[in-house]
Amino acid sequence: MDTRIENNSELKYEKIAWGTSLPVPSVQELVRNDAKEIPLRYIQNNENRPLTNFKSSPESAKIPVINFSQLADGDEDERKKLHLACKEWGFFQILNHGITKEVIHKVKKAVFGFFELPLIEKKKYAMEQDDLHGYGQAFVHSEEQTLEWSDIMFLIIYPLKSRKTMVWPELPGFKEAVEEYSLNMERVRDEILGNISLLLGLKRESLKEMHGEMKHAVRMNYYPPCPNPDLVLGIGPHSDATSITLLLQDDDISGLQINHNQKWLPVNPIPNAILVNVGDCLEIWSNGMYKSIEHRAVTNKEKVRISIATTMFPADMMELEPVETMIDEQRPSIYKKVKFLDLIKYGMSKTMDGKIFIEYAKEEDNQGP
């Protein structure tokens, strides 16, 4: 087993200075207490309420599927599929990624095991108001804003100086399962970023290097059943302030929707597939050729749903702007140079809604939040 998780217990972690998030009640506890009424703070405005009828649609079946093994072998046809997936969809699923069913099963079991703990136990790992590490909810900046029907656990995996080990749950096998899964995600990440670098006309390692000291985080999402799922959202519409996000979905329960051509489409899970989406940083680097896509999560009446999002961020002080190969006379830069820390702090000060990070990157005056 990799020893990095064992040898860093005495490191003083680096706080994530992206903004504050107010403490909110646990949605899981609302459901555990047999709540029949949805509290008003969770009820969406009429225009934001989802349609939760997840009948299969032909359009959903068109969401691209990439053969990761062929991509890693340098198959040009598979790389072209990756290009079209990033350009036309912003989302794709990967198969044959080499992550064993055992590794996937262990990390799902570890995440589910944490959320099944009594609330008093989970609160030992609660987020501080000025720090995103731990159990709670993010992007809550107002007592009036509408809340999401979900609980989360957010952990920085790498770099080690950003890992807050005191909020890693002390459950048998939890750290080992998350670490093993995360090492696999790094391998998948590097291959995808390498191929996208080539598609942008860069050297294979360019995008990885442009992150600086990359932050690798895991957001574990828990969506309890809801008595009236048409009134709430598990996560509101947003794009990710990442370079890429790699999502492990529940194999049996649909919940994720993407905004494709102004229509919300369900992403039907493929067992053991990894769902990948373009983040806002990659949209900026590619000068808008690859676009981050709004997505949201809906709930259901009967079943718990979990998902595990592995997110990749540039270092706070890295400056983002389109790469030179994506700029010419016919395609001038459409984004301003922006420091990643300014971008993320701006978004954290707002309700997570739409493409707020990209809006900031397009503003004329973007010197700070």
Side-chain angles (χ1 to χ4, degrees), residues 75-255:
D75 188 287
E76 287 297 329
D77 289 337
E78 215 62 27
R79 189 174 294 152
K80 289 176 183 176
K81 285 174 62 177
L82 175 64
H83 168 69
L84 292 175
C86 293
K87 184 177 180 180
E88 298 178 2
W89 286 87
F91 272 82
F92 55 93
Q93 302 207 57
I94 59 171
L95 294 174
N96 298 325
H97 42 63
I99 306 173
T100 67
K101 292 180 181 180
E102 180 185 15
V103 169
I104 290 174
H105 172 74
K106 284 196 296 186
V107 75
K108 286 183 175 181
K109 181 180 178 182
V111 171
F112 193 80
F114 167 73
F115 283 108
E116 286 302 296
L117 290 173
L119 181 61
I120 192 170
E121 290 296 315
K122 292 199 290 284
K123 281 189 170 181
K124 293 178 181 178
Y125 312 105
M127 291 179 183
E128 297 179 50
Q129 184 169 327
D130 61 346
D131 194 358
L132 289 182
H133 295 269
Y135 168 69
Q137 192 50 272
F139 291 90
V140 182
H141 59 85
S142 164
E143 297 289 351
E144 289 75 40
Q145 81 183 71
T146 303
L147 298 178
E148 297 171 334
W149 198 261
S150 61
D151 296 331
I152 74 168
M153 166 63 89
F154 185 84
L155 300 175
I156 294 286
I157 310 299
Y158 302 117
L160 288 180
K161 67 182 182 183
S162 295
R163 187 186 289 188
K164 187 177 182 180
T165 55
M166 61 277 285
V167 297
W168 283 61
E170 295 181 359
L171 293 175
F174 181 93
K175 292 180 180 180
E176 292 77 9
V178 171
E179 178 80 359
E180 186 176 19
Y181 178 73
S182 296
L183 288 173
N184 276 275
M185 285 291 98
E186 290 192 323
R187 173 179 56 81
V188 172
R189 171 204 71 196
D190 288 350
E191 188 62 47
I192 292 173
L193 287 178
N195 277 274
I196 293 176
S197 291
L198 296 175
L199 289 168
L200 295 181
L202 305 170
K203 294 180 180 179
R204 178 179 263 278
E205 295 298 314
S206 293
L207 280 180
K208 185 177 179 181
E209 292 170 355
M210 286 161 54
H211 285 75
E213 190 172 33
M214 187 187 300
K215 279 190 170 66
H216 169 162
V218 173
R219 173 174 165 145
M220 305 166 185
N221 304 298
Y222 184 97
Y223 305 99
C226 179
N228 196 332
D230 292 333
L231 297 180
V232 306
L233 285 170
I235 296 180
H238 68 285
S239 61
D240 292 348
T242 63
S243 53
I244 59 171
T245 299
L246 303 100
L247 181 72
L248 185 60
Q249 296 198 83
D250 195 297
D251 285 345
D252 304 311
I253 307 167
S254 293

Side-chain angles (χ1 to χ4, degrees), residues 327-368:
I327 302 172
D328 55 35
E329 291 182 1
Q330 287 73 40
R331 188 174 50 190
S333 175
I334 59 176
Y335 305 97
K336 306 297 181 182
K337 182 184 290 187
V338 57
K339 191 180 296 181
F340 178 74
L341 180 60
D342 292 338
L343 185 82
I344 194 74
K345 288 179 73 173
Y346 174 83
M348 285 292 295
S349 70
K350 308 291 182 184
T351 301
M352 188 170 65
D353 183 25
K355 298 186 65 169
I356 52 176
F357 302 103
I358 289 297
E359 291 169 8
Y360 176 72
K362 287 184 174 181
E363 288 179 358
E364 290 295 329
D365 180 14
N366 60 8
Q367 298 306 306

Side-chain angles (χ1 to χ4, degrees), residues 4-15:
R4 285 180 285 181
I5 199 168
E6 302 296 336
N7 296 338
N8 75 315
S9 59
E10 296 182 2
L11 287 175
K12 183 178 180 181
Y13 81 97
E14 181 183 74
K15 188 173 289 189

